[in-house]
């Protein structure tokens, strides 16, 4: 998947939909731009609450890492903020999986940011609209 860019319309997910934002990739760790996944618009049909979840896995043990789940109401790189408890730093030690429950988060856009990773392993991640 391409790194974050707001030059083309974003993919939108509606209740029950999901979108893959990293597909067996090694995003460059950092603070934005190339370190971030493509953003996803959170579709909100008439009056329904928002909410989403993030599920992903590494191809092997990632070592020390941090993935930030970020949201924004304005699709500008510097406007994205990390969700409360959205700093993912641990995985299931058997399957190298991670999960974030954003069921109470209301936002227009969501993305993932690879803040740090010590081992050169691939990551795959999906965002699901609840």
């Amino acid at each position: 998947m391409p790194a974050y860019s707001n030059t083309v319309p974003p993919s939108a997910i509606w209740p029950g939909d999901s979108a893959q934002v990293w597909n067996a990739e090694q995003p460059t760790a950092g603070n934005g731009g190339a370190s971030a996944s493509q953003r996803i618009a959170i579709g909100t049909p008439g009056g329904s609450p928002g909410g989403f979840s993030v599920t992903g896995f590494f191809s092997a043990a990632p070592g020390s890492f941090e993935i930030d789940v970020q949201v924004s109401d304005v699709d500008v790189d510097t406007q994205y903020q990390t969700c409360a408890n959205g700093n993912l730093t641990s995985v299931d030690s058997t399957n190298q999986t991670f999960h974030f429950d954003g069921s109470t988060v209301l936002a227009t856009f969501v993305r993932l940011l690879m803040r740090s990773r010590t081992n050169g392993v691939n990551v795959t991640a999906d965002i699901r609209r609840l």
Side-chain angles (χ1 to χ4, degrees):
M1 310 310 304
Y4 171 78
S5 168
N6 68 352
T7 60
V8 297
S11 295
I13 54 176
W14 298 89
D17 290 345
S18 67
Q20 191 166 70
V21 294
W22 283 327
N23 183 12
E25 299 175 52
Q26 291 186 30
T28 303
N31 293 320
S35 303
S37 71
Q38 194 53 256
R39 83 285 196 216
I40 301 296
I42 303 296
T44 308
S48 75
F52 63 91
S53 66
V54 174
T55 302
F57 66 91
F58 289 95
S59 59
S64 177
F65 77 95
E66 181 178 332
I67 295 174
D68 291 354
V69 179
Q70 297 189 319
V71 294
S72 180
D73 284 332
V74 178
D75 187 22
V76 174
D77 191 32
T78 57
Q79 295 291 313
Y80 282 86
Q81 298 293 314
T82 302
C83 294
N85 301 313
N87 307 93
L88 308 176
T89 58
S90 64
V91 292
D92 169 272
S93 60
T94 302
N95 299 314
Q96 311 307 322
T97 59
F98 57 88
H99 182 79
F100 174 78
D101 178 359
S103 59
T104 62
V105 177
L106 298 177
T108 305
F109 302 98
V110 60
R111 72 179 189 179
L112 305 181
L113 178 69
M114 181 64 70
R115 183 80 62 188
S116 64
R117 181 189 64 247
T118 55
N119 294 346
V121 296
N122 293 336
V123 62
T124 299
D126 297 309
I127 298 173
R128 174 172 298 281
R129 171 69 168 85
L130 304 176

